[in-house]
Amino acid sequence: MTALDLAGPVAVVGTGTMGQGIAQVALLAGHLVRLYDTAPGRAREAADAIGARIDRLVEKNRLTTADRDAARARLLPAEDLTDLADCALVVEAVLEELGAKQDLFRALEDIVGEDCLLATNTSSLSVTAVGGALRNPGRLVGLHFFNPAPLLPLVEVVSGYATDVSSATRAYETARAWGKTPVACADTPGFIVNRIARPFYAEAFAVYEAQGADPATIDAVLRECGGFRMGAFELTDLIGQDVNESVTHSVWRSFFQDVRFTPSLAQRRLVESGRLGRKSGQGWYDYREGAEPAEPHTAEPRQAPAYVVAEGDLGPASELLALIREAGIQVREDEEDHGTRLVLPGGGQLTLADGQTSVEFRDVVYFDLAFDYRKATRIALSASQDTSAQTLSEAIGLFQALGKDVSVIGDVPGMIVARTVARIVDLAHDAVAKGVATEEDIDTAMRLGVNYPLGPFEWSRRLGRTWACSLLDDLHERDPSGRYAPSLALYRHSYATEKREGAS
């Protein structure tokens, strides 16, 4: 059995934003769709709302009038759960409470046919636990859509411990028939996206808590240097601080309080104060009428150095050498030195973030990792109190001559983008090693689910397969809590690569 026959009715239980979105997807795929909600009249209201959205698709010439009318005719509110008896698929989108979901599926099991596929849209609960209340847990699968479901293509198809392979296959093929991009994953905390995305938020919050930079600067660096669609602070304000923190706590607890997933105290205080983001008018940023928009720290113009000395090829930042030459700055190459840094005219050094701190060395400025140094419009620099004013000024002037805004942050090991990407790469390797998903599905999930510029394994191949492990090793040395310790999977991957390269 593969995808659902289009003649098979689909039911959606729970008619909030997500439930309505899933119903709209199934409806426009040609199914008869039944909506059910325990609140009287809510299903009818949801049907009207979906109808209004379909009307707008006609106005935008994305749907014909005839198709709109046919879809409206297939959308039926249900008065009672027993109205779902003939459905081929029931998707649950109710509150994220295990007991409520289990009660619902227990009731459904006595109503629907034995061949009806049951699916939960949970984003943070165990699919295995949800199905554990059923007589036949093999027919329950996770279908985790992303909000807004009609627009975002990704669907995580989650197999619980007892899910039948045939059920997972049927769910996967159904999602694909609906025009979505499904990825298969095992039932582990956070599935793919919510597990591997945690460092994107956690590292930004950690830099803030260490007083390395303010939210607006960190967000600007993640966007304009890292290539991410949004920064961590503005994104969590959009999601809702309470929602984002809840997912973080769920993953952390589910991994038995693994330090790699430790929640942010700063975010906790934000939630406790009722500053939940856009929906409350204040979060990391102030959205109230008349509030001044927060601006990132940007350095004042400085004089560009006449030349730099390149010791090595700068590794992942090698493209900078061409950009420096194009800006009319002389690049002198030191062929005898095998380092990976630039030496400035005053004798100070400019080095790509590597997990160490500026204060450990004499007159060093670090610069952050960029997704694309040519296209990046901002670069972050970090320096210590011991860094000479001349060296910092020359470093700022150099990047300004390349057309970049420059943000100077505190002496934070791994800076912003570099430490974030390294941790994402590490969690991705760990997930593959533990059978959560394939490399291909993880890359697809992170690109489509949270709009990352590259998937973790694409990052890894671009940066060099030992890069993340080396940076995390240095971070772990400076913060031995275990938060930055490379996973065994990443260590093995990096070490095997080093051996192969050494042998060649």
Side-chain angles (χ1 to χ4, degrees):
M1 187 178 295
T2 55
L4 295 173
D5 187 318
L6 287 181
V10 172
V12 178
V13 179
T15 58
T17 301
M18 182 59 76
Q20 290 182 31
I22 296 170
Q24 181 177 326
V25 170
L27 188 67
L28 295 182
H31 289 276
L32 186 151
V33 175
R34 293 199 175 95
L35 290 171
Y36 176 76
D37 199 292
T38 56
R42 189 71 59 80
R44 169 55 62 188
E45 292 173 4
D48 291 342
I50 294 169
R53 283 198 292 273
I54 294 175
D55 287 342
R56 288 195 289 273
L57 294 178
V58 174
E59 294 169 3
K60 296 177 181 179
N61 295 317
R62 294 168 58 185
L63 194 68
T64 67
T65 301
D67 287 341
R68 184 269 314 276
D69 293 342
R72 276 181 168 273
R74 293 193 304 271
L75 183 58
L76 304 173
E79 298 295 330
D80 193 85
L81 270 184
T82 56
D83 294 338
L84 313 184
D86 63 339
C87 288
L89 166 65
V90 180
V91 182
E92 164 274 313
V94 301
L95 294 175
E96 284 288 273
E97 295 178 359
L98 179 60
K101 293 179 188 293
Q102 289 177 328
D103 289 345
L104 170 64
F105 283 117
R106 269 195 294 259
L108 284 169
E109 199 170 28
D110 292 331
I111 294 170
V112 299
E114 293 183 0
D115 61 346
C116 177
L117 183 64
L118 302 178
T120 173
N121 182 59
T122 183
S123 61
S124 60
L125 299 176
S126 163
V127 173
T128 302
V130 173
L134 300 179
R135 294 190 301 273
N136 177 18
R139 64 161 151 174
L140 183 121
V141 65
L143 272 179
H144 181 215
F145 289 77
F146 288 75
N147 193 29
L151 298 180
L152 294 185
L154 185 70
V155 177
E156 292 178 320
V157 181
V158 186
S159 293
Y161 186 78
T163 301
D164 292 335
V165 172
S166 60
S167 297
T169 300
R170 191 181 181 197
Y172 186 98
E173 294 300 333
T174 296
R176 185 157 62 179
W178 289 359
K180 296 301 182 181
T181 302
V183 292
C185 62
D187 181 25
T188 60
F191 310 142
I192 297 175
V193 173
N194 280 329
R195 173 180 179 152
I196 295 174
R198 294 348 290 167
F200 179 75
Y201 312 109
E203 294 312 307
F205 298 162
V207 172
Y208 168 75
E209 290 175 335
Q211 300 187 51
D214 60 275
T217 299
I218 296 169
D219 277 353
V221 172
L222 286 168
R223 287 193 315 269
E224 301 170 36
C225 182
F228 292 96
R229 186 72 60 86
M230 297 179 74
F233 296 90
E234 59 186 335
L235 180 54
T236 53
D237 267 357
L238 178 63
I239 294 169
Q241 297 302 330
D242 52 341
V243 174
N244 180 262
E245 191 206 28
S246 176
V247 173
T248 298
H249 270 269
S250 176
V251 173
W252 176 62
R253 287 192 302 267
S254 297
F255 277 114
F256 307 105
Q257 301 185 3
D258 186 329
V259 68
R260 295 176 300 167
F261 301 101
T262 300
S264 162
L265 180 59
Q267 188 180 38
R268 176 89 290 263
R269 293 291 179 258
L270 207 64
V271 173
E272 289 174 338
S273 70
R275 298 186 177 189
L276 306 181
R278 288 183 177 273
K279 62 186 178 184
S280 69
Q282 286 180 286
W284 296 112
Y285 300 110
D286 192 341
Y287 302 95
R288 294 172 298 178
E289 186 176 352
E292 291 291 329
E295 297 293 337
H297 168 76
T298 303
E300 295 294 325
R302 305 293 176 87
Q303 182 71 38
Y307 70 90
V308 294
V309 179
E311 297 181 348
D313 63 2
L314 299 189
S318 59
E319 187 180 22
L320 279 176
L321 296 178
L323 296 179
I324 293 170
R325 291 188 177 98
E326 291 169 16
I329 298 172
Q330 183 183 8
V331 177
R332 303 174 183 175
E333 297 187 13
D334 186 343
E335 297 181 356
E336 294 185 2
D337 196 296
H338 299 289
T340 54
R341 57 185 174 268
L342 295 174
V343 179
L344 298 164
Q349 298 177 8
L350 188 57
T351 303
L352 176 63
D354 58 7
Q356 301 182 88
T357 56
S358 178
V359 74
E360 300 171 53
F361 305 98
R362 187 187 67 82
D363 217 11
V364 168
V365 172
Y366 279 104
F367 64 93
D368 210 348
L369 178 71
F371 168 63
D372 184 325
Y373 282 99
R374 184 172 293 276
K375 295 180 180 179
T377 57
R378 183 177 300 272
I379 293 292
L381 302 179
S382 71
S384 75
Q385 65 271 24
D386 296 330
T387 304
S388 73
Q390 179 181 354
T391 294
L392 182 57
S393 179
E394 288 175 343
I396 293 170
L398 174 65
F399 281 104
Q400 289 175 337
L402 306 186
K404 318 297 184 187
D405 287 329
V406 176
S407 292
V408 179
I409 69 171
D411 189 15
V412 179
M415 300 192 69
I416 298 171
V417 180
R419 69 196 287 173
T420 299
V421 170
R423 288 208 58 216
I424 289 170
V425 168
D426 181 54
L427 289 187
H429 277 278
D430 184 53
V432 169
K434 292 177 178 173
V436 174
T438 65
E439 290 186 10
E440 181 180 2
D441 276 356
I442 288 175
D443 276 352
T444 297
M446 302 313 291
R447 280 188 283 102
L448 299 184
V450 278
N451 289 311
Y452 284 4
L454 291 174
F457 295 97
E458 293 170 323
W459 271 114
S460 186
R461 288 188 289 271
R462 173 186 281 205
L463 297 170
R465 297 173 73 185
T466 64
W467 175 85
C469 189
S470 177
L471 187 143
L472 291 174
D473 261 335
D474 283 337
L475 272 169
H476 178 56
E477 185 176 338
R478 285 147 189 83
D479 178 0
S481 65
R483 178 188 180 106
Y484 300 104
S487 66
L488 182 58
L490 184 65
Y491 178 79
R492 283 173 169 159
H493 179 77
S494 176
Y495 186 68
T497 301
E498 288 183 336
K499 287 184 66 176
R500 286 195 297 272
E501 291 174 352
S504 62

